[in-house]
């Protein structure tokens, strides 16, 4: 089941690495940016975790941090699920950090493992299943014209193979995020590539795992609201650039695999709202619409972080009336 990587994938990864090198070079050549610009950019990017994404542990403090996110979400294809994501991170300095997380499905509905399931067979209740663990290295830079974050992520095959929560092998993804803050609004562009849809748009919990080279693009805008609440609207495209495999429940001791060139192609919109309740607790919600798959996904979560954000007052602490004025 080895996956062959076409030249287009290597070209895509080369472009990503060149973009990373360009950002590094620009950051190295530029003098220190103005204090007000640094403050605006960092405050806009330090947004809470999305609904089913691992807790955002990139607090200003260096060193270790840990947290957990509990979420409940509804997929129009499979129904309701509940999920817990414990995570741990280590921040080396203002530039480099690492983190690890693992999803635990407390409840979800899955396809039956019957050898010959009926067309109208009901989904099976599953509890206490693990997904693939995710390890990530983040590099954050502040060149003159924009903020830049590079993320290199890997999955370890810890997921429940019997019900298709893993591909059974290590997968990777490289993403580059560019943003620039205009006081209360921050346009965000993300370009990436890898070999699994599991690491793409992780705030949306997918009902499948996949293996095969693909590129992904996302563009949106984040708005800082009163009391540090953040609303973000994005459009995304997930584009296969080679043969793909989608894994689901095992039957007769083998995984059910759908093979094709565009079986993982996806595009649509994501809207999310994050409301910090205090330094350690964040309430989040999101809604996404997949145009390609005609699928709706909505969810809510609450995230606990041991070492919360700084108490320092920022522009986002202004009241709603102040923002209007």
């Amino acid at each position: 089941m080895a996956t062959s990587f076409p030249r287009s994938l290597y070209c895509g990864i080369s472009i990503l690495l060149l973009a990373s090198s360009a950002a590094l070079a620009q950051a190295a050549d530029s003098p220190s940016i103005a204090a007000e610009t640094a403050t605006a950019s960092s405050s806009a990017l330090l947004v809470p975790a999305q609904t089913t994404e691992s807790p955002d542990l990139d607090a200003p403090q260096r060193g270790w941090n840990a947290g957990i996110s509990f979420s409940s979400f509804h997929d129009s294809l499979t129904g309701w699920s509940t999920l817990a994501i414990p995570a741990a991170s280590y921040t080396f300095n203002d530039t480099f950090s690492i983190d690890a997380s693992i999803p635990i499905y407390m409840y979800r509905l899955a396809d039956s493992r019957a050898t010959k399931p009926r067309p109208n067979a009901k989904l099976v209740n599953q509890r206490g299943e693990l997904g693939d663990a995710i390890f990530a290295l983040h590099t954050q830079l502040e060149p003159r014209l924009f903020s830049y974050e590079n993320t290199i992520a890997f999955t370890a095959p810890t997921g429940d193979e019997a019900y298709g929560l893993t591909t059974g092998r290590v997968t990777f993804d490289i993403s580059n995020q560019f943003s620039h803050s205009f006081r209360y609004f921050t346009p965000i562009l993300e370009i990436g590539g890898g070999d699994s849809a599991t690491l793409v748009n992780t705030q949306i919990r997918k009902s499948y795992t996949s293996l095969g080279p693909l590129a992904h693009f996302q563009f949106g805008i984040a708005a800082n609201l009163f009391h540090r609440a953040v609303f973000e609207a994005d459009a995304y495209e997930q584009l296969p650039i080679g043969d793909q495999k989608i894994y689901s429940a095992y039957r007769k001791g083998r995984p059910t695999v759908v093979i094709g060139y565009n079986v993982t192609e996806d595009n649509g919109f994501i809207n999310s709202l994050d409301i910090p309740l205090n330094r350690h607790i964040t309430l989040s919600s999101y809604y996404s619409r997949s145009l390609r798959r005609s699928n709706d996904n909505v969810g809510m979560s609450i995230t606990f972080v041991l070492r919360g954000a700084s108490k320092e007052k920022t522009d986002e602490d202004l009241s709603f009336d102040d923002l209007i004025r």
Side-chain angles (χ1 to χ4, degrees):
M1 294 172 60
T3 303
S4 61
F5 295 87
R7 293 181 179 178
S8 54
L9 176 60
Y10 291 111
C11 292
I13 293 176
S14 299
I15 293 173
L16 297 178
L17 295 177
L18 286 174
S20 304
S21 301
L24 286 166
Q26 186 174 358
D29 296 339
S30 63
S32 59
I33 57 178
E36 62 270 19
T37 304
T39 302
S41 299
S42 60
S43 63
L45 291 176
L46 288 176
V47 296
Q50 303 297 337
T51 301
T52 58
E53 200 171 22
S54 60
D56 186 353
L57 305 177
D58 296 328
Q61 303 94 336
R62 299 182 183 183
W64 290 101
N65 202 357
I68 188 169
S69 179
F70 297 97
S71 61
S72 179
F73 56 97
H74 183 272
D75 187 303
S76 60
L77 297 178
T78 58
W80 285 99
S81 298
T82 55
L83 184 71
I85 306 179
S89 75
Y90 188 84
T91 300
F92 298 96
N93 49 44
D94 293 339
T95 302
F96 298 105
S97 64
I98 57 175
D99 58 61
S101 62
I102 184 169
I104 304 171
Y105 290 86
M106 302 168 68
Y107 169 82
R108 79 180 190 103
L109 295 171
D111 291 330
S112 170
R113 292 182 57 195
T115 304
K116 296 181 180 180
R118 297 178 180 178
N120 60 347
K122 294 183 179 181
L123 297 175
V124 180
N125 294 342
Q126 293 296 308
R127 301 178 188 275
E129 295 177 293
L130 293 180
D132 281 351
I134 298 176
F135 303 90
L137 168 65
H138 306 276
T139 303
Q140 294 182 324
L141 300 172
E142 294 285 344
R144 289 181 178 179
L145 301 179
F146 56 87
S147 297
Y148 170 76
E149 180 178 358
N150 172 261
T151 299
I152 302 175
F154 297 88
T155 65
T158 58
D160 187 344
E161 286 190 83
Y163 282 95
L165 292 181
T166 181
T167 62
R169 64 185 66 193
V170 174
T171 60
F172 80 96
D173 186 80
I174 302 173
S175 67
N176 298 278
Q177 185 182 91
F178 306 86
S179 63
H180 182 81
S181 293
F182 298 93
R183 192 166 175 79
Y184 301 116
F185 299 96
T186 304
I188 302 171
L189 172 66
E190 183 175 315
I191 303 172
D195 66 350
S196 176
T198 303
L199 292 168
V200 181
N201 285 331
T202 54
Q203 69 266 37
I204 302 175
R205 195 53 49 174
K206 301 175 179 65
S207 58
Y208 63 92
T209 56
S210 75
L211 184 66
L214 55 84
H216 54 89
F217 312 91
Q218 185 166 303
F219 179 76
I221 187 166
N224 296 329
L225 308 178
F226 55 94
H227 297 299
R228 295 190 182 184
V230 177
F231 174 79
E232 185 173 341
D234 300 277
Y236 69 89
E237 172 69 32
Q238 181 176 298
L239 187 63
I241 51 178
D243 288 338
Q244 306 288 304
K245 298 182 176 118
I246 289 182
Y247 292 77
S248 59
Y250 272 53
R251 294 193 177 98
K252 293 183 178 180
R254 296 182 179 181
T256 303
V257 181
V258 178
I259 301 175
Y261 186 83
N262 61 350
V263 293
T264 59
E265 183 175 355
D266 193 15
N267 51 57
F269 303 93
I270 307 171
N271 296 306
S272 63
L273 176 65
D274 301 292
I275 305 174
L277 302 182
N278 56 40
R279 293 179 57 206
H280 303 276
I281 303 175
T282 300
L283 183 66
S284 305
S285 64
Y286 84 97
Y287 167 76
S288 72
R289 170 67 178 177
S290 170
L291 302 179
R292 178 79 178 184
R293 300 175 180 275
S294 300
N295 183 29
D296 296 288
N297 204 304
V298 62
M300 293 188 66
S301 75
I302 187 166
T303 299
F304 303 87
V305 177
L306 290 181
R307 302 177 66 193
S310 171
K311 288 183 177 181
E312 294 180 1
K313 185 177 178 65
T314 63
D315 289 339
E316 290 80 15
D317 291 319
L318 295 172
S319 68
F320 183 76
D321 291 339
D322 291 333
L323 290 178
I324 295 297
R325 286 195 293 270

